[in-house]
Amino acid sequence: MFTKIMVPVDLAHLGALERSLQVAADMARHYKAEVCYVSVTANTPGSVARTPAEYEKKLRAFADEQTAHHGQQTSARVLISHDPSADMEKLLVRCAEDIGADLVLMATHLPHKIDAIMPSHGDKVAKHTGVSVFLVRPPHNS
């Protein structure tokens, strides 16, 4: 059913993504799909890397670790933006189309009242893409 699963990741917050990474691995194994890890970063030094090239190297290493741990085929793509928080959804929607993803699987937070005013990244991506979007929430006790 799914052949390419796009999973947005923030290398600075991998601990918060554990549940979504496991779901992506399980779905990839079930459908024999490739998982493409995608990350949006600035072209300025950050907490994870000093350059986009260094960030890309770390994302590729992360994807290789996921392959070794879960056994699925992986790829990685870094998206560069001058303002990642402002451009994130637009870049993710375009990337899903560019790589031929047929599922976007994203971690998200539990719903809050503020979401009516400021939707989550996953909500915005789901509204602007024709690709299926699976939002993975953290457990209620986290």
Side-chain angles (χ1 to χ4, degrees):
M1 174 180 273
F2 298 112
T3 59
K4 188 170 242 180
I5 302 170
M6 184 176 103
V7 179
V9 296
D10 182 345
L11 292 177
H13 299 98
L14 288 177
L17 304 177
E18 282 184 32
R19 193 170 194 201
S20 63
L21 295 175
Q22 184 62 54
V23 171
D26 291 347
M27 291 189 74
R29 186 174 21 260
H30 180 78
Y31 291 112
K32 298 178 179 46
E34 175 188 338
V35 176
C36 182
Y37 298 101
V38 176
S39 196
V40 180
T41 189
N43 57 3
T44 55
S47 63
V48 174
R50 291 170 294 192
T51 65
E54 183 181 359
Y55 195 96
E56 187 169 4
K57 188 175 179 180
K58 289 183 176 186
L59 183 63
R60 183 66 248 169
F62 168 77
D64 290 344
E65 289 172 12
Q66 294 298 304
T67 296
H69 185 67
H70 298 291
Q72 78 245 17
Q73 180 183 358
T74 64
S75 58
R77 181 164 302 190
V78 173
L79 309 172
I80 310 298
S81 169
H82 295 292
D83 188 351
S85 46
D87 297 336
M88 185 172 304
E89 296 85 11
K90 180 175 54 178
L91 291 171
L92 292 176
V93 167
R94 188 179 321 140
C95 185
E97 295 168 2
D98 289 349
I99 66 171
D102 47 11
L103 174 66
V104 176
L105 192 146
M106 299 178 69
T108 190
H109 57 75
L110 294 173
H112 304 285
K113 291 179 182 174
I114 192 76
D115 293 336
I117 300 168
M118 298 177 59
S120 69
H121 296 302
D123 187 14
K124 292 177 184 175
V125 168
K127 285 180 181 171
H128 294 97
T129 184
V131 175
S132 296
V133 177
F134 184 170
L135 301 178
V136 178
R137 292 185 170 141
H140 283 284
N141 58 359
S142 65

